[in-house]
Amino acid sequence: MAFLGLVLFLALPAFFLGVFVWAVCEHFRTAHIPSALQHPAKLRFLHCMFLYVMTLGYIFEKLGICSMPKFFCLAHDIMRVKKDPALVVTNLHFGTIPVRLFQPKAASSRPRRGIIFYHGGGAMFGSLDSYHNLCFFLAQETDSVLLMIGYRKFPDHHTPIVSQDCLNASIHFLRCLDTYGVDPSRVVLCGESVGGGAVAFIAQTLVGISDLPRIRAQVLIYPVVQVINLHLPSTEQNRFVPFLSQDFVMTAICNYLAIDTSWKEAILTGAFIPPDTWRKYKKWFSSDNIPKRFKSRGPPSRFPAPYNEAAYLETKHLFNKEHSPLMADDETMAQLPEAFLVTCEYDFFRDDSLLYKKRLEDLGVRVTWYHVEDGFHGSLILFDKKFFSFPCSVEIVNAIVNSIKST
């Protein structure tokens, strides 16, 4: 028995070390760190740790111990959450949806601004704890009442639960603004990545609900507003950039939307898009709408690929507006509130924001665009991680604060 204990004692460190070595090798085999990014060694280390935790998660999933997304969130959520007596933080449930409310403790002579925040994470990762410090900072710096929505996600839930949870929780909050001391004329929707896509979808949906307060502004931080054209300049240029590689994007899409991974290539090449659908929506989804300075030189490759009806039948829910709010009709888009858009140069979904920006501007909606030249997808959440923070992380969060304070 003692011998078996000794073997186990020696085997576990070897196992964890071996997984880490594999993660490092995988990083150098697959990842591309653009030369213009600041602190490349720091980014390499963080990406190696990202791959390490994901790989451990997959191993534990195969062993039936814990799913990979849950293990990843568990590992991330052990980080300390910020506390300050100046802010009251309350965990609530709106029905089955967990939410976290951040309220300034000091008295105010008038109702405060309200912020509804939707976190990122590809509908796989992200939680109330992992985005706690960011929301705490936003509420404190803007003197606002902030509601963060902890929507349910993969692997326990699939489409359309993220959109439904975010919408239902938002409507509940908007009907109870007096309870939380929020000015109904100053409510801002704010979201990052998938949460940015939720901002777009919910802002559009609320346009058609006349008995709710009108949203004052929408803040979209490198949002995902379409999953139809994944052949844009940014998706080609940044498909190997941490933390949002093409492979991770396709994994997240197939997992949450319950699409078999055998259809990945059809999605990437656009073979699932019916010709008449592409003719109808090309004016909004085509890379022709991307400014020249973001395009690579060289002949453009063909998109979409020849139509595959079987692929369409398996993936047609990609065209639902909760997944691709860029498809909304002109009448709805023209009624949207002013938008603040943050883009990062080294982001797989950078051009989503550029397409969304053009649509809004063409319809007369005011757009303020903030582009971070050395930014990458996911950098925002690192803003307060001290040694592991990046200049672009601080730059983005300060830009968001300034934008919200101006509303």
Side-chain angles (χ1 to χ4, degrees):
M1 183 65 69
F3 175 74
L4 289 176
L6 179 62
V7 170
L8 184 62
F9 178 76
L10 296 175
L12 281 176
F15 164 73
F16 287 113
L17 178 61
V19 174
F20 182 73
V21 170
W22 183 92
V24 171
C25 293
E26 185 70 4
H27 163 80
F28 282 98
R29 186 181 72 86
T30 62
H32 168 64
I33 307 296
S35 58
L37 278 178
Q38 299 187 53
H39 308 296
K42 187 190 301 186
L43 184 59
R44 286 190 183 279
F45 173 77
L46 287 174
H47 189 237
C48 287
M49 292 304 299
F50 176 79
L51 294 174
Y52 176 58
V53 174
M54 281 187 63
T55 304
L56 284 175
Y58 279 123
I59 292 172
F60 293 151
E61 187 172 274
K62 291 292 185 183
L63 294 174
I65 299 172
C66 178
S67 71
M68 185 278 289
K70 287 185 177 180
F71 176 76
F72 190 96
C73 288
L74 180 66
H76 190 281
D77 290 353
I78 62 174
M79 297 181 182
R80 185 174 63 89
V81 297
K82 189 173 182 180
K83 296 180 180 180
D84 191 308
L87 213 62
V88 178
V89 180
T90 310
N91 289 316
L92 303 167
H93 276 82
F94 290 172
T96 57
I97 308 164
V99 299
R100 186 166 293 176
L101 188 70
F102 300 78
Q103 295 173 288
K105 197 169 186 178
S108 176
S109 60
R110 60 169 184 161
R112 284 186 164 92
R113 177 193 299 106
I115 303 172
I116 305 178
F117 185 87
Y118 315 97
H119 67 73
M124 294 171 58
F125 305 145
S127 66
L128 294 175
D129 283 344
S130 59
Y131 280 80
H132 175 99
N133 289 359
L134 172 62
C135 289
F136 193 103
F137 183 82
L138 292 179
Q140 192 170 50
E141 292 298 309
T142 64
D143 189 36
S144 303
V145 175
L146 186 148
L147 180 79
M148 175 169 47
I149 298 174
Y151 54 80
R152 294 167 291 177
K153 50 193 180 294
F154 179 85
D156 296 326
H157 302 277
H158 296 271
T159 180
I161 198 66
V162 170
S163 302
Q164 289 179 346
D165 280 1
C166 290
L167 179 61
N168 291 336
S170 299
I171 291 174
H172 181 90
F173 183 66
L174 289 169
R175 294 195 190 281
C176 303
L177 294 180
D178 287 345
T179 304
Y180 304 111
V182 173
D183 182 346
S185 68
R186 293 199 301 158
V187 177
V188 177
L189 304 184
C190 180
E192 181 221 32
S193 188
V194 166
V199 168
F201 169 71
I202 290 165
Q204 293 169 9
T205 304
L206 294 178
V207 164
I209 306 178
S210 58
D211 63 336
L212 289 176
R214 180 171 171 78
I215 299 301
R216 174 66 182 83
Q218 49 179 326
V219 178
L220 305 95
I221 309 152
Y222 39 79
V224 181
V225 295
Q226 62 89 27
V227 284
I228 293 172
N229 185 354
L230 298 181
H231 201 71
L232 295 164
S234 66
T235 62
E236 295 297 304
Q237 297 161 8
N238 300 314
R239 58 182 176 160
F240 299 118
V241 175
F243 293 88
L244 197 69
S245 66
Q246 182 186 87
D247 184 62
F248 179 79
V249 168
M250 296 311 301
T251 297
I253 289 175
C254 290
N255 281 343
Y256 176 62
L257 273 67
I259 296 172
D260 190 273
T261 54
S262 62
W263 300 109
K264 282 184 178 181
E265 190 63 23
I267 296 172
L268 286 169
T269 61
F272 72 103
I273 305 174
D276 58 337
T277 301
W278 181 246
R279 282 191 293 269
K280 179 178 179 180
Y281 292 107
K282 180 180 178 181
K283 59 184 177 181
W284 299 335
F285 287 86
S286 172
S287 59
D288 295 342
N289 294 321
I290 305 300
K292 287 184 179 180
R293 77 180 184 93
F294 292 106
K295 297 180 181 180
S296 301
R297 294 182 179 180
S301 53
R302 181 181 177 183
F303 184 89
Y307 176 53
N308 181 333
E309 185 177 10
Y312 167 73
L313 293 174
E314 293 291 333
T315 64
K316 59 184 178 181
H317 48 303
L318 290 172
F319 294 96
N320 294 349
K321 289 186 176 63
E322 61 260 34
H323 306 137
S324 296
L326 186 62
M327 295 180 66
D329 58 86
D330 286 349
E331 182 181 358
T332 299
M333 293 283 280
Q335 297 180 68
L336 292 177
E338 66 175 278
F340 180 73
L341 277 167
V342 177
T343 57
C344 291
E345 180 67 25
Y346 302 107
D347 175 15
F348 185 89
F349 283 113
R350 178 197 68 205
D351 293 346
D352 273 35
S353 295
L354 300 179
L355 293 175
Y356 197 64
K357 172 178 176 288
K358 181 174 182 354
R359 277 220 68 197
L360 291 176
E361 289 178 336
D362 286 351
L363 293 166
V365 178
R366 181 185 172 192
V367 179
T368 302
W369 174 41
Y370 193 90
H371 184 65
V372 185
E373 292 288 350
D374 67 337
F376 55 92
H377 198 99
S379 54
L380 171 63
I381 201 173
L382 300 170
F383 84 101
D384 67 333
K385 299 302 184 285
K386 297 182 179 178
F387 176 76
F388 295 113
S389 184
F390 290 77
C392 64
S393 308
V394 178
E395 181 182 348
I396 292 171
V397 77
N398 287 336
I400 295 166
V401 167
N402 292 334
S403 171
I404 292 174
K405 288 171 74 173
S406 69
T407 60

